[in-house]
Amino acid sequence: MPSHHLPLGTSPGRRAFLTGAGAALAALALPAAPAAAAGRPSRPFGRYGSPASRLTSRTLYVHPSGLGDHTSVQAAVDAADGPGWTLVLAPGTYRETVAVSPARTGMTWVGASGDAEDVVVVYDNAAGTPKPDGSGTYGTTGSATVTLQGADFTAHAVTFANDFLRTDLPGNPGTQAVAVKAQGDRSAFFHCRFLGHQDTLYADSMSLTAFARQYFAHCYVEGDVDFVFGRATAVFEHCHFRTLLRTDLAGAPYGFVFAPSTARANPYGFLASRCRVTSEAPDGFYRLARPWVPGSDPTAWPSLVVRESVLGAGIDAVAPYANMRDVYPWQEQRFAEYRNTGRGAAVTVPENRPLLTAAQAATATRAAYLGDWRPAAEVCR
């Protein structure tokens, strides 16, 4: 997505986030994996079986040191031909790009420990990164560490990361670096992490006319510029959005949490319910959202509802929204809030805080957005 001349920069030591030692991650407070019983030998796949004792005939095991069926996630995806496969990922860092094609429907990825910090799929391509074959740069879409196109994809306790830093390509404006591009309908993520800077989580669909539904529960997403963006119908419940410090900028704004690009015909865009937004940056240095009307869809009508969420002091309460292009003013988009709290939610300039009525809020729900789909949180046993 265009940066629109936001200066380049990076936060120091951001690649250290993969160790799980950062203060921002400590604030996430995801449930910890159960401790192993005293004297019991460690099992790399936890309670999810092993190659010698599979959960089902369509379960594959991935282990970075060779104790599973495959050592890379992509190799396991390639081997999972057809629908309904489960990939159990042992703790480790998988430095690779992964693509799940539309033909691989009903795929589930399970982090074996139950703690997303233990299972990390990461790479460092950016929009401006040159392709090895000399055919140009990756572009925003091509920068994704993980691309998910199959319908009915589910992930439990997995970290998706893009650890590209702006200093990797000094002076290059192509700093968009996607951790996940999700395009399939009925994509669900439970207790997952999405780590990056600009354009971290691309919640999209397979075409302008496809209204892909996506669900994120108890997830953690961090970034700086437009780091949750796209045209999907995406519901976020009990999620934590964390805005990052930028040492390259002298003043606000550092960036934007949401940048929806909802198709005009789609009544539902992004819904964040009972979430929270915290920040590493100084107070008021981030905006909550700006609308993205891409060149591929100039009729887009971005939609975002943030309700019953805690907006920390990092969000500019006076001007929480901004334009990406002045020809598409945010005031003409479908942006609204309902019963948010926190310093970033204070209504200081009423015309800058579009609020839902109680009657309108009654239609801004998970059930309304997801329709006949009920995401299942249960992990296979």
Side-chain angles (χ1 to χ4, degrees):
M1 202 159 64
S3 60
H4 293 275
H5 310 297
L6 286 176
L8 305 181
T10 184
S11 299
R14 288 307 303 162
R15 286 200 172 104
F17 59 24
L18 298 180
T19 66
L25 301 182
L28 178 56
L30 286 177
R40 180 180 299 172
S42 175
R43 297 180 299 171
F45 302 107
R47 61 186 178 89
Y48 301 108
S50 69
S53 179
R54 298 183 189 277
L55 290 179
T56 70
S57 61
R58 286 183 172 258
T59 301
L60 293 173
Y61 297 87
V62 186
H63 191 283
S65 299
L67 299 181
D69 299 302
H70 303 279
T71 58
S72 76
V73 181
Q74 185 64 64
V77 169
D78 292 343
D81 189 15
W85 285 85
T86 295
L87 274 53
V88 180
L89 311 183
T93 297
Y94 300 88
R95 179 161 286 278
E96 58 179 305
T97 59
V98 184
V100 177
S101 72
R104 286 165 168 80
T105 58
M107 179 172 283
T108 299
W109 293 7
V110 178
S113 74
D115 187 337
E117 292 192 13
D118 295 336
V119 178
V120 179
V121 184
V122 59
Y123 210 72
D124 60 354
N125 284 332
T129 301
K131 294 181 180 179
D133 62 5
S135 62
T137 58
Y138 283 101
T140 300
T141 288
S143 74
T145 298
V146 177
T147 301
L148 304 169
Q149 296 183 322
D152 297 297
F153 176 88
T154 303
H156 297 267
V158 176
T159 291
F160 303 89
N162 189 316
D163 62 355
F164 168 81
L165 300 177
R166 291 181 173 91
T167 50
D168 293 342
L169 292 174
N172 190 317
T175 56
Q176 301 86 351
V178 177
V180 164
K181 181 171 184 177
Q183 296 178 275
D185 190 25
R186 299 181 302 274
S187 299
F189 302 84
F190 300 93
H191 296 280
C192 289
R193 299 191 305 166
F194 304 86
L195 310 182
H197 283 272
Q198 183 172 350
D199 292 8
T200 304
L201 175 54
Y202 196 169
D204 201 41
S205 67
M206 291 295 291
S207 71
L208 290 177
T209 57
F211 300 160
R213 293 164 293 178
Q214 299 169 9
Y215 181 64
F216 302 81
H218 301 280
C219 290
Y220 172 89
V221 193
E222 70 176 21
D224 48 39
V225 179
D226 305 330
F227 63 94
V228 182
F229 73 112
R231 64 172 174 250
T233 294
V235 175
F236 302 86
E237 290 190 324
H238 303 287
C239 290
H240 179 183
F241 303 96
R242 180 77 167 173
T243 61
L244 301 178
L245 181 66
R246 297 187 64 179
T247 60
D248 58 307
L249 298 181
Y254 278 178
F256 311 84
V257 179
F258 299 101
S261 58
T262 321
R264 181 166 293 270
N266 189 353
Y268 303 112
F270 290 174
L271 170 64
S273 177
R274 290 167 287 173
C275 295
R276 59 182 172 131
V277 179
T278 65
S279 183
E280 294 180 355
D283 292 354
F285 269 50
Y286 273 87
R287 306 289 178 87
L288 186 61
R290 63 178 180 174
W292 178 33
V293 179
S296 60
D297 184 16
T299 67
W301 192 17
S303 172
L304 167 70
V305 173
V306 180
R307 60 175 299 165
E308 296 161 313
S309 296
V310 180
L311 309 182
I315 297 298
D316 182 349
V318 174
Y321 304 100
N323 298 338
M324 185 176 290
R325 299 179 181 90
D326 288 343
V327 70
Y328 303 111
W330 71 264
Q331 294 90 341
E332 296 180 6
Q333 314 309 318
R334 293 175 284 180
F335 285 1
E337 301 177 52
Y338 183 69
R339 291 186 176 177
N340 294 323
T341 58
R343 287 175 57 186
V347 180
T348 58
V349 182
E351 58 266 33
N352 288 347
R353 305 301 297 239
L355 302 178
L356 297 178
T357 65
Q360 291 169 329
T363 66
T365 64
R366 174 178 60 181
Y369 276 57
L370 301 185
D372 60 359
W373 176 44
R374 299 291 182 268
E378 295 81 7
V379 183
C380 55
R381 295 180 182 272

